[in-house]
Amino acid sequence: MAFRKPPDGGWGWVIVVVSFFTQFLCYGSPLAVGVLYLEWLDAFGEGKGKTAWVGSLANGIGLLASPVCSICVSSFGARPVAIFSGFMVAGGLMMSSFAPNIYFLYVSYGIVVGLGCGLLYTATVTITCQYFDKRRGLALGLISTGSSVGLFIYAALQRELIELYGLDGCLLIVGALSLNILACGSLMRPLESSSSPPPEKMCVDKVPDQYFVYHEKEKTVEENISILEKGYIDEKCVNNVPDCKHDSVLHKNVLSSINVNEKDTYKKKVVEQTNFCKQLAKRKWQLYLTYWKETMVLFKNKVFSALFVAILLFDIGGFPPSLLMEDVARSANISEDDYYMPLISIIGIMTTVGKLILGILADFKWVNTLYLYVTTLLMTGVALFAIPFAKSYLTLAMLSGILGFLTGNWSIFPYVTTKTVGIEKLTHAYGILMFFAGLGNSLGPPIVGWFYDWTQEYNTAFYFSGFCVLLGGFLLLLAALPCWNACTNQSSKLPPNTYSYKVASNA
């Protein structure tokens, strides 16, 4: 399939709109799962750590399965994957309304919805990149805000639906809304060339009819020879009966020699195919070894190693507020009359603002994106340390806004990765980092919940979260500073396969 040059417009803007709404519809409920978390605590009476697994799986499983999601989109295309994933997300949400226990939710909401979101994210990013080249950054930035807007709206929407129809009715309605993903997916028309006809059909039409005498049904050599032998002898017996017996013996001798030659050719082809399979397996093994060698080279870069630790610790400590902030407010005995807006909605809208502002700052040449990212990590750690001291809705709302804005550093994370390893290693490195980001998303909320179950208060839990984020930020800062200062004198002496932050930053 030959793809045309990305048009950077036209139907591409339709792709941007439907991708925005796809991320809005699929990520709205999982990101705003903190509202449902309170209801599940009351409905099933399980511990906070065990209940937090539902939301953490829904948000982390898509990142953990990102390699599988990429293979699915590459094999089947963005449109079929988006439509199929729409059924997954809607079906998982609707099944969750009938959950008899928390373990059912692990599968229906955590795995089914989470995997569907991961597939949809990969599909929307892939189809957008196919339609845009020069404006790719703008297009990806627009569709990425869909999840943040979904968090803002779904937090208030799910709270209102729970009051009107209960938890089960809320999940059924939200699942029905997710069926609109099918309409969005149907509009993800692949960018392919329609000028050239399919080569397979042309080749088949030009094959002479004689070819099918031997190969119509992939008959074996013995079957083809027996058919030829029978047809030739029958023809001779009809035309010349006296010579029939003589010709039959003669042609049996000739066909027996053909039989031997054909068998030798057949055995030769079998040997050739066997050797080909062996060479293919050997090549695949070499590619597998090369992949792990390149991975080891990446981890020899101390900035990349520190970045890997930082993203893991950031998601362990920084993700739980978006899931648990509503329960933090309830644990602080804040009256519902003081609620002007759900805290999760504040996090969602400020995440959108943070993505835009931090993304704009990263485009300035005088801004060092690595230092900017480290700054967001350190400020996030400080904000997490301040949560135990917040005893009113106003202070929690301010901290929610700060944390939401700083969480927008996801928009500059690809910049940091590119400047750390270089553009040629971006796909490999980013896949590794996203896997560990998903691992952090999956582990963070349950760990914080277990701290609460152990101490019966959130103070220790958020001290632990703040410590994790600060530790990751300081490690990344310490790894970058020596490399930064010594880069000017050492960049010319580095071998081709050695990576440093300064060398890669010029890519």
Side-chain angles (χ1 to χ4, degrees), residues 98-121:
F98 303 100
N101 51 56
I102 199 69
Y103 303 102
F104 188 91
L105 286 174
Y106 290 164
V107 178
S108 63
Y109 198 98
I111 296 178
V112 176
V113 175
L115 187 57
C117 290
L119 288 168
L120 285 168
Y121 177 81

Side-chain angles (χ1 to χ4, degrees), residues 346-348 350-352 354 399-409:
I346 297 175
I347 293 176
M350 290 305 296
T351 300
T352 305
L399 289 174
S400 298
I402 294 172
L403 288 171
F405 179 86
L406 296 173
T407 305
N409 62 7

Side-chain angles (χ1 to χ4, degrees), residues 135-150:
R135 299 178 180 177
R136 183 175 296 170
L138 173 62
L140 291 175
L142 290 174
I143 69 171
S144 67
T145 58
S147 58
S148 301
V149 175

Side-chain angles (χ1 to χ4, degrees), residues 49-331:
K50 184 182 289 188
T51 308
W53 271 111
V54 181
S56 63
L57 284 174
N59 287 278
I61 200 72
L63 293 175
L64 289 172
S66 55
V68 178
C69 297
S70 299
I71 292 173
C72 291
V73 175
S74 300
S75 302
F76 304 105
R79 176 192 281 174
V81 169
I83 295 174
F84 175 77
S85 303
F87 281 112
M88 287 186 65
V89 173
L93 289 169
M94 292 180 180
M95 286 193 301
S96 299
S97 65
F98 303 100
N101 51 56
I102 199 69
Y103 303 102
F104 188 91
L105 286 174
Y106 290 164
V107 178
S108 63
Y109 198 98
I111 296 178
V112 176
V113 175
L115 187 57
C117 290
L119 288 168
L120 285 168
Y121 177 81
T122 306
T124 54
V125 170
T126 301
I127 193 70
T128 302
C129 290
Q130 290 177 4
Y131 272 86
F132 289 90
D133 183 16
K134 296 179 181 178
R135 299 178 180 177
R136 183 175 296 170
L138 173 62
L140 291 175
L142 290 174
I143 69 171
S144 67
T145 58
S147 58
S148 301
V149 175
L151 168 59
F152 171 71
I153 293 179
Y154 267 73
L157 175 64
Q158 291 184 147
R159 179 187 291 274
E160 188 67 24
L161 290 175
I162 289 172
E163 293 180 358
L164 294 175
Y165 305 105
L167 176 61
D168 297 342
C170 170
L171 289 171
L172 282 174
I173 294 173
V174 171
L177 287 175
S178 299
L179 289 173
N180 289 285
I181 296 174
L182 306 182
C184 295
S186 65
L187 294 175
M188 295 181 183
R189 186 173 63 197
L191 183 67
E192 59 181 86
S193 177
S194 58
S195 57
S196 58
E200 293 82 5
K201 185 175 181 181
M202 293 175 60
C203 294
V204 172
D205 292 341
K206 293 182 180 180
V207 174
D209 295 336
Q210 292 82 356
Y211 176 82
F212 294 99
V213 174
Y214 291 91
H215 302 283
E216 181 180 1
K217 294 183 179 179
E218 296 295 332
K219 295 181 174 63
T220 62
V221 175
E222 289 80 1
E223 289 175 342
N224 289 326
I225 291 175
S226 64
I227 292 172
L228 289 174
E229 180 180 355
K230 183 177 183 301
Y232 185 83
I233 292 175
D234 290 344
E235 182 181 356
K236 293 294 293 182
C237 287
V238 171
N239 296 333
N240 192 359
V241 177
D243 296 335
C244 179
K245 184 176 181 181
H246 175 73
D247 290 341
S248 176
V249 174
L250 176 63
H251 285 286
K252 280 184 179 180
N253 294 331
V254 173
L255 290 173
S256 64
S257 62
I258 295 175
N259 193 3
V260 173
N261 293 333
E262 291 290 346
K263 285 183 178 180
D264 291 340
T265 304
Y266 177 75
K267 291 179 180 179
K268 184 177 179 181
K269 289 182 178 180
V270 171
V271 172
E272 290 176 353
Q273 292 177 357
T274 304
N275 291 333
F276 173 77
C277 292
K278 290 180 179 179
Q279 293 295 327
L280 181 62
K282 184 178 180 180
R283 179 174 177 80
K284 293 293 184 181
W285 177 252
Q286 291 296 331
L287 291 174
Y288 180 78
L289 292 178
T290 302
Y291 174 85
W292 285 107
K293 288 179 181 178
E294 291 178 353
T295 302
M296 295 305 296
V297 171
L298 285 175
F299 279 99
K300 289 180 180 179
N301 180 356
K302 56 184 178 182
V303 178
F304 177 80
S305 298
L307 191 62
F308 140 74
V309 175
I311 190 65
L312 177 63
L313 294 177
F314 172 75
D315 280 280
I316 289 177
F319 176 66
S322 63
L323 176 61
L324 304 174
M325 191 61 78
E326 297 293 330
D327 192 48
V328 171
R330 187 169 71 172
S331 301

Side-chain angles (χ1 to χ4, degrees), residues 350-376:
M350 290 305 296
T351 300
T352 305
V353 176
K355 285 180 178 179
L356 294 175
I357 294 180
L358 293 174
I360 293 172
L361 288 175
D363 287 333
F364 288 106
K365 295 182 178 180
W366 52 269
V367 174
N368 189 305
T369 52
L370 181 61
Y371 285 156
L372 179 62
Y373 185 74
V374 170
T375 302
T376 61

